Amino acid sequence: MSKRLGLIVALTLVVFAAQNTMAAQSLPPANQWIPQNAVISLELTRPKALLELLSGEKATAAITALPLYQKQASTPKFKEFLNLINFMEITLGTDWRTGLAKLTGGGITFAVCPEDTVLMIIDAEDEDMLQKFHEILLNMARSEAEKQEQPNRVESTQYEDVTAWTFNGKEAHAIIGKRLVFANRPEGLKAVLQLRARAASENLTSKAAYQAARRAAGPDSVATVFADLLILKNIPDIAALLEQSSGNPLAALTLAGIVEAVRDSSWLALGLDCGESKLIFRASVDGKTTASTSPVAFAIPNKSGEGILPNLSVPRRIAALSLYRDLHSFYAAKDDLFPERTSGLIFFENMMGIFFSGRDLTNEVLIETKPEIRLVVAEQEYDPAIGTPQVKFPAFALIFRLRHPEQFNEVAEEAWQKAVGLINFTRGQQAMPGLIIDRPFQGKTKYTVAYFSTSGIEDKTNLDPRFNVRPALAMPGEYLVLSSTDGLAQDLIDALHQETEQTPKPLAGTHSLVELEGGRLSSILEANRKTLIQGNMVDKGSTQEQAEANIDLFISLAKFLDRAKLSVGVQEGLTRAQLEIKLNLQ
Amino acid sequence: MSHTRRDFLKAALGASTLLSFASAAPNFLTRSVMAASSRRKERDTVLVVVQLTGGNDGLNTVVPYDDDEYGRNRSTLRLPTKDLHKIGSAMGFHPRMGAFARLYKDGFLSIVQGVGNPNPDRSHEGAMRIWHTADPVRLNRQTGWLGRAADSVWNPNTTNAPAVFVGPIAQPFALNAENVVVPSIRSLGDLTAGQIPGYPNDQSQSKHTSELPRSDKGNSLLDFLQHCTLNTYTNSRRIEEVAKTTANTAEYPSFQLAATFRTVAQLIRADVGIRIFFVEFGGGGIGGFDNHANQLGNHCALLHQLSESVAAFVHDLRRDKLLDRVLLMTFSEFGRTLKENGRRGTGHGSAAPVFLAGGRLKGGLIGPRPSLTDLDNGAPKFHTDFRRVYATVLDRWLGFESRIVLDKQFQPLDVLNV
Amino acid sequence: MVLQIDKPPAHDQSKQIHPAVTEKLTDPAWAWAAYQPDAQRPWTLAQAGHLYQRAAFGANWDQLQQALSDGPQRTLDKLLRPQADIAAFNRTYDEYDTGSADSLRAWWLRRMILTPHPLLEKMTLFWHSHFATNSANVKNARLMQQQVQFLRSHALNSYRAMLKGISRDPAMLIWLGAEANRKARPNENFARPLMETFTLGPGNFTEKDVQEAARSFTGWFVLRSQLRYIPREHDGNLKQILGQKGNFTGDDVIRIVLEQRATAQTLVHKLYRWLICETEGPDAELIAPLAKSFAKDYDILKLAEKMLRSNLFFSPVAYHRRIKSPVEFALGIVKPLEGVISTTQLAQDLADLGQNLYYPPTVKGWTGGRHWINSATMVRRHNLALALLKGSGPYGDKLNPWTVAKKHGCSTPESTPRFLIDLFLQGDIEPDVRDALPKIAKASAGADGGDLAEPVRRFAHAIVTLPEFQLA
């Protein structure tokens, strides 16, 4: 297939429709024409909603402003593409946005069936336009075939009283009313046409798993994906991926049974909603709620109504994570979770043994934490009097909720000071400067900070990376804050006071929530631009110009993102995940 | 050369495989195989050194269960006598070291007790440095004992790597050499030559470039490089064959350490001239055998992995009649204190047992058991200088001159049947 | 369809190094005189490649062609004193902030690839091995960066100034365990390598000289990564070093060791092994005039210039009488192919080959020579070349021999092999070996003509894994 025809066929995948033998309203929904053995289906029920968002004026303006786009736009290939679009616009007598909307407005249905069969059904709004469009493609395909001296590659035949076409001898398609049916092999088209002829026969919609998945995806979705996991899990690569038991305690703690849920599921459903500058993806699997005896039960709330706390807001926040994880039961199950001891785990236990004066880590330390755990990452503000590091790391803090704060506060304080003391002792042995401990107040809360002094340093604008760290411990109310900087600790003390006043409501049924702020992300990337560029040069072997373009693209993409929010939990026996993306197209 | 090995090479490098090796010619390989068999007049013993990082608690590994001091000082860590694998009437292996106990009974394992050094250092870094440099006096010595051993046997026509480190961490200092490059590898793939996909197969009938004669320009460097290139591709082919033919025949447990031993066994089987293998267990840095807290469970898991993995290695070699060529020795930077600390762990100590495994051992317990009442800062005292163990493996096993490596002659131990 | 590599032209360059003149090479006056090409000893592609191999990290096709037309001495003018704005380049590359020596390795390799003054980097590498300091012990990337930066700034200047600076270099003193040198306990950890490795060489001093030198250096400390001199810790009493008596300081020791004939001889000998030949040492008579002149001013540029311009350098004594170090091997593939690659990855791969920049094995640096080579390092050279050339994986498709061949007008299955053999080996290859290289078959005739990229990659890989390519 020549490159040009490839381009047209690719376009065909997105666009299409026509014919006038039947009235559109008499056609059944497209998913009833999909064979029951489909492994994956993707249904775009309202393509126009997506088109409005992605090809709307704001988005177009934002995309065309990208340096990458401008570079691409000057290539001959891109010009050829634009010419084709122009040609189409003139022939169809409309602009490409309207054309695309009219050709696909009734919906797009896409399915992958066994034996590498791919099906696509497109419902047009404008029958005449679909036919005109098909004519154009037909003419192009014919002239291309003649150029290749294989004119009989383009042919048509009658099947089940429908005219079926092929442009290259491999693909097959047909137009029925406003509907275009496309298959990558003739057998695929045959199967669809047979379903059309015998309307009552078994199709995808009569499959129980599909019905359950559609319900889970929500009826108003702009797009829905269904995946038959029972079949997909037999694919060796996927099976291997799911079987991989993670040897990394931190990863196991963070992922908390998501892999297990997929392993136990028979289907996966994905729904997409979109609104003004906003996309929402919802994923669900039907894996059983983890048994309370399983080692991964530490992420499942015991009582209904329990769940994570909302994320904390602090100034300059880049990201926030809220988890529901019972550390006590997690650590008690460590032998089942990690049969091979890593040296890191043993070292961790050694240190905890020292810091907590021999208290049992599982039964005397971790048991003091409640399952609501939060993490906040924020951009730092540097005091020029203290100094600014060359490389600017974000500050991050962990927030635990304590069961018996009044008994545990001093235990934690002692452990923390021991840790600082140990660091100082070790650094001193290597003739390196240590941390100075201070105990100031934020409002009425006394907290502890340890910092490196910069008083002997003349040039305070170009400090070592270690000056990004001013570790702090604060225990406002029933919370324990472990922060990499005192600045973030102060903000969190304020935020926690505010939260306590308003009594936070837990998000029931959710065990993980991540939020990301695009504006702040781009800001911290910008602050480290030079370092990132140099890193890109040595890591990728790019020229300075290429490295600058790469990093700047990354920064501008981060700017497009206003915020993203991912939540995962178990609701009505299903493991559900929701990703909400808000775009910034100003 | 034993019959088994010759048979193996014949099988491994049979005519069909010779033809399939990319651009290599049959006669090129056959010639190299012949060269390899004539080389066999040299000594071909192999030493496998296993580092147990962190300071292994010898007292809970080979347990002096009948000593009241043991029970008295270990209130939470004491191992129940009934669960031990007894060695005679006074000692016993840790309950999870059944595999070691069987090796011991069959004469494939010896225990050298009370090994240490006269200038003990209780910091990990300092003590490990001494074990690595074999120099308790010059603490900033810049070469390791195995690195010096590799340098000592180098000659200008050497084309095989004398020693390798197998593992995922940075190369331990013991292998630091002044001259020789000692490779670190993670898997067999690091020692086999890859090809750009689509390498034409019709090249097999022509000669490989490295075996074509070069006109003599009096450049000995070129001769050397040509010889080495030839040897490189022969070795690569052998390793590939071994990997193919023995991939799933030997049974190893699923531990990472066992996988490392499997790689070592395959390299021994491929017979590519490596005399010294170095393997690390415990992570090489922090943690590992350094059980200051919650020792019982962690130490138990580590000893089980060690015991099962070494046993699988011994059985694998034995089945192929290679065990007589192999001696394995373990070491750790120090033992631990007799008395446990308040965190259900132990502190840094001094003397500890060294395990030897192989097919040519006299077997048994070597040296007296260190006293539990005459202590050095709370830990059993050493009576056997660690350099005597080094001298044993260098002089008696590898046939290297230990005096050059260790600066003076240490009395080897009488532990080997050679 | 398989096509033959076209036969080399009549003036076969594989016989270009002139054996006829070998007997004259023992005469120092003739050996060190500047090489002027003549009918008997013509200026060839192989000579140009040899020069770029030793005075740089290899050459690309344009550089080789330019050198052919410039002749040896003019090419050397450019290599020794380039016209480009070196100061601007060095400024850009000196501005690099990092907390890790690992990223310094990557940054330096990138610098070696892109520098307009490759001889400077080659010599910095030489001094990095001479004053070998291992970052694993120093544990301070900034000090390591400062040390190599210092070595670079003196690499082609005065050895006297360099040695003095090194005696006060915090990284060096930390690495040797000489951070504290007290009057009551003189520390020999710097004095010993100073005499044994940096200057006189073994056998040219006594234990007593080391002890007395250590006393002279008392008072010098490295405290919190900074050099400090504490006068009350200095032993101001009489010392006797190498036959001289006085109340010497460290600077006096530097002066005294530089006054010894052995020092200049040792250094000239070491540079001879680096620039000319590592297979056999030159006899004392050959070295003598250079050592004598070097001892006067310790001007490194002058010494290097004398060696590189000489008849000896362009003779069989030097040609292919060195084994490429891992850095030279890898850059010898990268430079001719005119690409820049991931040097983060390369630094790691070179460490596996035995040359871990910023982490030399001992204070004696990399011994090199035949020690670089064994079947494990050779298979890794093979695999590194594969990774560099295969067009995917960690190095991506930054190097494409087919594109380079086409750029220089060689786009057929006949002309490309010839071009690559000239580019990588300057045509110096035995006909039998050349014939045994994999053939470049024409790709299946497609609409857009045969794309030879893949077969050319295989061909290039076969060249750079030849024993000949390991020689510099």
Side-chain angles (χ1 to χ4, degrees):
Chain A
M1 195 162 33
S2 80
K3 275 175 192 164
R4 178 189 267 213
L5 189 65
L7 191 70
I8 297 162
V9 173
L11 208 66
T12 317
L13 294 175
V14 194
V15 196
F16 250 76
Q19 199 86 354
N20 40 13
T21 50
M22 257 189 272
Q25 38 272 62
S26 70
L27 288 176
N31 55 6
Q32 292 185 14
W33 285 13
I34 302 292
Q36 197 174 23
N37 62 1
V39 181
I40 298 173
S41 76
L42 161 67
E43 293 162 55
L44 271 170
T45 30
R46 290 189 286 128
K48 278 199 281 186
L50 256 188
L51 265 176
E52 267 163 36
L53 177 65
L54 296 179
S55 70
E57 272 167 38
K58 271 186 184 173
T60 312
I63 292 167
T64 48
L66 279 179
L68 185 78
Y69 173 87
Q70 288 166 355
K71 210 173 150 195
Q72 278 297 316
S74 59
T75 60
K77 259 191 191 165
F78 193 84
K79 291 212 172 96
E80 197 182 316
F81 175 72
L82 284 185
N83 284 340
L84 187 71
I85 297 282
N86 280 340
F87 172 71
M88 292 275 185
E89 283 182 339
I90 293 165
T91 321
L92 298 175
T94 178
D95 68 287
W96 68 270
R97 274 193 201 93
T98 319
L100 199 57
K102 284 190 173 169
L103 284 173
T104 65
I108 301 175
T109 305
F110 177 88
V112 180
C113 301
E115 292 171 50
D116 291 330
T117 307
V118 179
L119 301 174
M120 189 160 62
I121 300 177
I122 296 169
D123 288 313
E125 276 183 345
D126 184 329
E127 215 171 301
D128 288 343
M129 193 178 283
L130 177 62
Q131 210 169 22
K132 245 193 249 169
F133 184 66
H134 188 247
E135 295 275 307
I136 299 171
L137 294 182
L138 185 62
N139 288 336
M140 285 173 132
R142 278 194 178 127
S143 76
E144 190 65 38
E146 269 158 33
K147 228 196 280 171
Q148 301 284 329
E149 296 170 2
Q150 293 170 306
N152 50 0
R153 279 201 322 204
V154 178
E155 53 179 350
S156 69
T157 177
Q158 288 296 122
Y159 186 82
E160 302 268 5
D161 73 327
V162 172
T163 312
W165 288 90
T166 181
F167 283 177
N168 62 4
K170 285 181 198 131
E171 63 84 33
H173 64 270
I175 293 172
I176 303 145
K178 287 184 178 179
R179 178 169 286 175
L180 170 80
V181 181
F182 170 92
N184 66 336
R185 41 204 292 266
E187 291 77 5
L189 186 63
K190 276 187 192 172
V192 173
L193 296 180
Q194 279 164 11
L195 281 176
R196 169 185 164 268
R198 284 168 284 281
S201 57
E202 301 266 289
N203 58 52
L204 184 62
T205 59
S206 49
K207 189 164 166 175
Y210 174 81
Q211 291 163 1
R214 274 305 297 253
R215 273 196 304 277
D220 303 328
S221 295
V222 169
T224 317
V225 173
F226 156 77
D228 187 330
L229 293 180
L230 290 179
I231 296 174
L232 287 175
K233 279 189 292 191
N234 289 329
I235 296 170
D237 283 353
I238 295 177
L241 199 71
L242 290 175
E243 277 315 308
Q244 244 172 31
S245 61
S246 161
N248 181 344
L250 267 182
L253 189 61
T254 323
L255 290 176
I258 293 173
V259 177
E260 286 80 359
V262 174
R263 213 184 282 160
D264 289 347
S265 297
S266 56
W267 52 259
L268 177 142
L270 197 69
L272 168 68
D273 279 344
C274 63
E276 174 80 3
S277 303
K278 197 167 162 190
L279 291 164
I280 301 170
F281 298 89
R282 279 185 314 270
S284 339
V285 290
D286 65 332
K288 287 164 213 68
T289 310
T290 315
S292 56
T293 48
S294 146
V296 294
F298 58 86
I300 311 297
N302 283 334
K303 294 176 220 147
S304 65
E306 276 190 11
I308 54 161
L309 292 171
N311 273 316
L312 291 159
S313 358
V314 294
R316 298 174 302 281
R317 189 179 89 178
I318 298 168
L321 171 70
S322 181
L323 298 174
Y324 188 93
R325 299 289 187 274
D326 183 349
L327 294 180
H328 171 248
S329 58
F330 169 73
Y331 210 75
K334 73 170 194 293
D335 288 356
D336 291 328
L337 290 169
F338 322 106
E340 199 165 346
R341 295 305 151 95
T342 63
S343 56
L345 195 75
I346 291 169
F347 177 72
F348 174 72
E349 291 196 353
N350 285 347
M351 291 299 119
M352 291 302 133
I354 296 173
F355 300 157
F356 290 99
S357 311
R359 282 180 178 80
D360 185 272
L361 183 60
T362 315
N363 295 316
E364 293 180 274
V365 178
L366 295 177
I367 202 166
E368 292 292 334
T369 63
K370 287 189 178 176
E372 297 92 340
I373 301 169
R374 287 176 285 182
L375 175 82
V376 174
V377 183
E379 198 175 359
Q380 292 198 49
E381 234 176 16
Y382 300 94
D383 178 353
I386 295 172
T388 312
Q390 169 72 32
V391 183
K392 296 165 189 73
F393 298 149
F396 53 91
L398 265 172
I399 301 102
F400 296 98
R401 195 173 190 183
L402 300 178
R403 288 190 194 279
H404 312 100
E406 50 305 324
Q407 286 103 313
F408 196 68
N409 276 7
E410 281 199 334
V411 177
E413 182 72 44
E414 184 192 331
W416 192 85
Q417 291 200 18
K418 270 193 201 143
V420 173
L422 187 72
I423 292 167
N424 276 347
F425 181 79
T426 316
R427 289 182 62 87
Q429 275 185 317
Q430 296 168 10
M432 295 193 288
L435 294 153
I436 299 163
I437 295 185
D438 194 10
R439 302 206 68 201
F441 280 89
Q442 171 74 2
K444 284 179 187 156
T445 307
K446 192 183 206 177
Y447 67 97
T448 317
V449 57
Y451 61 91
F452 292 110
S453 166
T454 57
S455 50
I457 299 170
E458 273 172 38
D459 179 8
K460 288 191 169 57
T461 60
N462 191 20
L463 298 175
D464 242 37
R466 73 185 150 100
F467 290 100
N468 278 293
V469 182
R470 293 167 64 87
L473 173 75
M475 288 170 285
E478 56 175 332
Y479 293 98
L480 184 149
V481 177
L482 266 178
S483 173
S484 75
T485 72
D486 50 344
L488 181 56
Q490 291 162 6
D491 291 338
L492 283 168
I493 291 170
D494 295 345
L496 284 164
H497 275 308
Q498 224 170 0
E499 187 189 74
T500 313
E501 275 166 28
Q502 292 157 359
T503 5
K505 250 182 76 184
L507 305 169
T510 305
H511 63 61
S512 311
L513 170 68
V514 193
E515 287 175 273
L516 183 70
E517 325 279 336
R520 274 296 150 190
L521 182 64
S522 69
S523 155
I524 193 149
L525 293 174
E526 193 95 62
N528 291 299
R529 188 173 171 272
K530 187 183 165 191
T531 312
L532 290 170
I533 287 169
Q534 287 182 335
N536 188 279
M537 282 156 75
V538 288
D539 290 346
K540 305 270 177 252
S542 38
T543 64
Q544 175 141 11
E545 292 72 35
Q546 289 165 339
E548 283 170 358
N550 285 345
I551 299 302
D552 289 343
L553 174 69
F554 198 47
I555 294 175
S556 33
L557 286 181
K559 275 185 190 152
F560 278 160
L561 177 71
D562 184 30
R563 80 172 28 127
K565 184 169 160 184
L566 171 71
S567 58
V568 188
V570 178
Q571 284 154 3
E572 297 152 23
L574 303 179
T575 297
R576 287 177 185 269
Q578 172 161 321
L579 174 65
E580 208 178 307
I581 294 174
K582 201 161 174 299
L583 300 173
N584 171 17
L585 301 173
Q586 300 311 314
Chain B
M1 181 175 178
S2 72
H3 274 291
T4 333
R5 245 186 309 131
R6 194 178 299 129
D7 293 346
F8 170 74
L9 284 177
K10 232 195 276 170
L13 300 162
S16 60
T17 57
L18 289 172
L19 284 170
S20 68
F21 181 38
S23 57
N27 49 349
F28 139 64
L29 273 178
T30 11
R31 235 194 288 149
S32 304
V33 171
M34 279 153 63
S37 33
S38 66
R39 192 184 72 210
R40 284 285 148 249
K41 285 177 196 108
E42 296 162 26
R43 199 141 163 178
D44 60 359
T45 47
V46 169
L47 174 68
V48 182
V49 179
V50 183
Q51 170 176 312
L52 310 177
T53 309
N56 180 35
D57 181 14
L59 291 171
N60 262 21
T61 309
V62 185
V63 184
Y65 63 86
D66 77 332
D67 195 322
D68 291 346
E69 289 299 314
Y70 170 72
R72 215 189 328 277
N73 283 286
R74 299 225 157 165
S75 48
T76 72
L77 296 180
R78 182 180 55 224
L79 299 164
T81 306
K82 64 175 172 50
D83 296 344
L84 299 173
H85 303 278
K86 308 285 185 324
I87 310 167
S89 59
M91 313 281 287
F93 282 104
H94 185 283
R96 293 282 274 159
M97 296 180 87
F100 258 28
R102 284 189 291 280
L103 289 181
Y104 182 86
K105 214 174 111 240
D106 294 341
F108 298 126
L109 187 86
S110 294
I111 307 162
V112 189
Q113 306 197 77
V115 183
N117 90 73
N119 187 17
D121 187 322
R122 294 261 168 123
S123 77
H124 292 288
E125 210 178 333
M128 192 57 99
R129 189 78 170 186
I130 291 171
W131 277 88
H132 282 163
T133 59
D135 195 335
V137 182
R138 277 190 288 160
L139 298 179
N140 69 337
R141 183 130 186 194
Q142 293 184 329
T143 49
W145 71 286
L146 293 170
R148 290 198 297 278
D151 275 342
S152 76
V153 292
W154 184 84
N155 72 63
N157 293 313
T158 309
T159 59
N160 282 324
V164 297
F165 171 62
V166 187
I169 60 163
Q171 190 174 93
F173 194 76
L175 293 160
N176 203 49
E178 186 175 310
N179 301 315
V180 168
V181 176
V182 177
S184 290
I185 63 160
R186 284 166 187 241
S187 67
L188 294 183
D190 289 332
L191 293 179
T192 52
Q195 296 289 356
I196 290 182
Y199 208 92
N201 278 327
D202 62 353
Q203 302 289 318
S204 53
Q205 293 307 320
S206 63
K207 286 192 169 190
H208 187 267
T209 53
S210 63
E211 69 161 343
L212 292 165
R214 266 63 166 180
S215 68
D216 183 21
K217 289 187 197 166
N219 192 348
S220 61
L221 282 186
L222 184 57
D223 292 345
F224 165 70
L225 285 165
Q226 195 182 343
H227 183 62
C228 189
T229 307
L230 201 61
N231 187 35
T232 299
Y233 292 119
T234 314
N235 283 351
S236 163
R237 190 66 197 153
R238 288 167 167 217
I239 294 168
E240 272 175 49
E241 284 305 325
V242 163
K244 235 185 279 168
T245 51
T246 67
N248 298 309
T249 52
E251 277 182 25
Y252 282 84
S254 64
F255 308 122
Q256 207 192 333
L257 178 66
T260 306
F261 278 131
R262 183 203 286 275
T263 303
V264 173
Q266 282 168 321
L267 288 172
I268 293 171
R269 199 174 277 121
D271 204 18
V272 291
I274 301 164
R275 302 288 308 280
I276 299 169
F277 292 91
F278 197 102
V279 171
E280 190 277 340
F281 182 42
I286 51 180
F289 284 84
D290 193 21
N291 292 290
H292 288 283
N294 297 337
Q295 174 173 320
L296 203 61
N298 290 338
H299 194 228
C300 171
L302 293 173
L303 290 180
H304 179 65
Q305 288 174 39
L306 174 69
S307 154
E308 294 293 323
S309 306
V310 169
F313 179 61
V314 166
H315 295 316
D316 183 14
L317 294 174
R318 195 169 162 226
R319 215 193 35 217
D320 273 2
K321 302 195 169 57
L322 290 165
L323 190 59
D324 282 358
R325 277 178 59 208
V326 179
L327 176 67
L328 175 147
M329 70 167 275
T330 69
F331 78 96
S332 193
E333 64 264 45
F334 37 59
R336 306 192 79 83
T337 53
L338 170 61
K339 195 171 173 54
E340 65 178 77
N341 59 26
R343 291 173 276 132
R344 292 170 295 282
T346 48
H348 299 172
S350 138
V354 160
F355 292 106
L356 299 174
R360 294 292 194 94
L361 291 168
K362 289 191 170 166
L365 282 165
I366 293 135
R369 176 174 118 193
S371 160
L372 297 189
T373 46
D374 178 22
L375 299 175
D376 168 16
N377 270 319
K381 284 181 178 167
F382 90 101
H383 54 64
T384 299
D385 191 305
F386 72 114
R387 287 167 295 182
R388 289 188 63 197
V389 181
Y390 286 0
T392 313
V393 300
L394 291 169
D395 288 333
R396 299 268 169 97
W397 183 251
L398 291 172
F400 293 5
E401 264 189 81
S402 74
R403 204 172 34 80
I404 300 176
V405 176
L406 305 173
D407 298 335
K408 63 175 185 179
Q409 185 63 55
F410 288 86
Q411 176 65 44
L413 302 163
D414 183 25
V415 292
L416 300 170
N417 278 322
V418 278
Chain C
M1 178 183 177
V2 175
L3 291 143
Q4 288 294 315
I5 301 168
D6 64 338
K7 294 292 175 207
H11 56 282
D12 183 2
Q13 284 168 331
S14 67
K15 297 185 181 69
Q16 63 312 80
I17 302 296
H18 337 95
V21 297
T22 322
E23 66 277 11
K24 282 201 208 160
L25 293 169
T26 46
D27 167 18
W30 191 88
W32 298 120
Y35 162 60
Q36 296 299 344
D38 54 33
Q40 215 187 355
R41 300 179 301 140
W43 174 239
T44 61
L45 194 64
Q47 296 280 33
H50 167 63
L51 175 57
Y52 264 94
Q53 198 53 60
R54 299 292 176 84
F57 295 96
N60 62 34
W61 187 248
D62 288 340
Q63 286 170 323
L64 286 174
Q65 295 305 311
Q66 187 65 44
L68 268 185
S69 78
D70 282 350
Q73 300 301 339
R74 230 180 123 217
T75 306
L76 269 157
D77 292 344
K78 291 180 179 172
L79 282 164
L80 291 158
R81 297 173 188 86
Q83 300 297 305
D85 191 351
I86 294 160
F89 176 86
N90 282 335
R91 247 191 331 273
T92 313
Y93 272 77
D94 286 348
E95 274 177 30
Y96 184 66
D97 277 285
T98 176
S100 96
D102 287 3
S103 53
L104 288 175
R105 304 185 305 191
W107 196 244
W108 192 6
L109 284 167
R110 184 180 172 90
R111 190 174 188 144
M112 290 180 196
I113 295 170
L114 291 170
T115 177
H117 195 185
L119 178 62
L120 182 68
E121 295 309 319
K122 197 87 194 245
M123 289 304 293
T124 308
L125 184 58
F126 173 76
W127 296 117
H128 177 50
S129 182
H130 181 74
F131 292 116
T133 304
N134 188 319
S135 182
N137 291 48
V138 179
K139 292 177 185 143
N140 185 326
R142 277 195 187 190
L143 292 184
M144 289 305 297
Q145 188 177 16
Q146 281 162 17
Q147 187 193 65
V148 172
Q149 220 130 287
F150 171 79
L151 293 177
R152 180 177 295 110
S153 65
H154 289 74
L156 287 168
N157 286 316
S158 154
Y159 185 71
R160 193 186 300 279
M162 179 148 56
L163 187 63
K164 191 169 160 184
I166 278 295
S167 76
R168 294 175 186 186
D169 179 65
M172 174 62 82
L173 297 178
I174 294 170
W175 145 244
L176 292 176
E179 311 97 309
N181 198 351
R182 298 175 188 284
K183 191 174 176 175
R185 280 187 72 183
N187 185 326
E188 296 173 9
N189 290 341
F190 177 72
R192 186 178 306 280
L194 169 70
M195 292 185 167
E196 188 175 307
T197 310
F198 304 157
T199 57
L200 300 160
N204 294 312
F205 60 93
T206 65
E207 267 311 287
K208 184 78 183 154
D209 291 324
V210 173
Q211 289 159 13
E212 298 282 277
R215 283 179 58 216
S216 311
F217 280 106
T218 49
W220 287 103
F221 290 76
V222 181
L223 299 170
R224 289 184 303 284
S225 307
Q226 278 171 342
L227 187 80
R228 288 271 300 278
Y229 180 69
I230 302 174
R232 68 183 150 76
E233 288 288 359
H234 178 68
D235 178 349
N237 296 321
L238 189 71
K239 294 122 190 159
Q240 181 169 351
I241 299 169
L242 296 162
Q244 301 191 29
K245 274 187 196 173
N247 300 335
F248 297 137
T249 64
D251 286 353
D252 293 320
V253 178
I254 302 285
R255 173 182 55 76
I256 292 167
V257 292
L258 288 174
E259 281 166 12
Q260 309 301 309
R261 269 178 33 212
T263 296
Q265 279 164 358
T266 303
L267 288 165
V268 170
H269 192 272
K270 201 164 182 176
L271 195 61
Y272 179 95
R273 282 181 58 87
W274 182 256
L275 289 178
I276 297 179
C277 165
E278 70 184 9
T279 51
E280 52 225 65
D283 51 37
E285 204 188 332
L286 193 62
I287 288 287
L290 264 56
K292 200 174 160 194
S293 143
F294 187 54
K296 281 181 197 148
D297 51 12
Y298 283 101
D299 185 330
I300 302 161
L301 179 62
K302 224 166 80 183
L303 177 63
E305 181 165 10
K306 189 85 183 166
M307 286 183 177
L308 290 172
R309 290 190 189 276
S310 70
N311 280 320
L312 195 67
F313 180 81
F314 292 100
S315 78
V317 169
Y319 183 73
H320 277 185
R321 290 307 194 272
R322 267 180 62 80
I323 290 179
K324 280 177 185 157
S325 71
V327 169
E328 291 169 314
F329 169 74
L331 297 199
I333 297 170
V334 174
K335 291 288 292 181
L337 295 180
E338 304 173 25
V340 186
I341 52 161
S342 164
T343 46
T344 306
Q345 180 67 36
L346 185 63
Q348 191 46 53
D349 287 343
L350 293 177
D352 286 339
L353 290 179
Q355 194 170 26
N356 195 2
L357 294 178
Y358 287 88
Y359 298 87
T362 72
V363 71
K364 292 181 180 156
W366 290 283
T367 313
R370 291 186 185 216
H371 289 286
W372 289 128
I373 302 296
N374 59 46
S375 69
T377 56
M378 280 298 271
V379 82
R380 289 192 143 172
R381 285 188 182 213
H382 172 107
N383 287 341
L384 171 58
L386 186 68
L388 287 169
L389 291 169
K390 80 173 173 188
S392 59
Y395 292 104
D397 60 352
K398 299 276 182 178
L399 303 180
N400 188 337
W402 170 230
T403 313
V404 176
K406 279 193 294 187
K407 179 182 163 191
H408 297 289
C410 298
S411 55
T412 66
E414 296 80 21
S415 60
T416 305
R418 175 81 206 157
F419 169 78
L420 290 173
I421 290 170
D422 281 350
L423 180 66
F424 284 117
L425 295 170
Q426 289 76 53
D428 188 5
I429 185 172
E430 307 252 351
D432 285 353
V433 176
R434 187 194 58 222
D435 293 343
L437 290 170
K439 303 292 179 281
I440 295 181
K442 213 173 206 170
S444 58
D448 40 18
D451 182 1
L452 298 180
E454 286 305 301
V456 171
R457 286 183 191 284
R458 289 194 286 273
F459 186 82
H461 183 249
I463 295 179
V464 301
T465 50
L466 285 173
E468 284 83 352
F469 188 75
Q470 314 306 317
L471 290 171

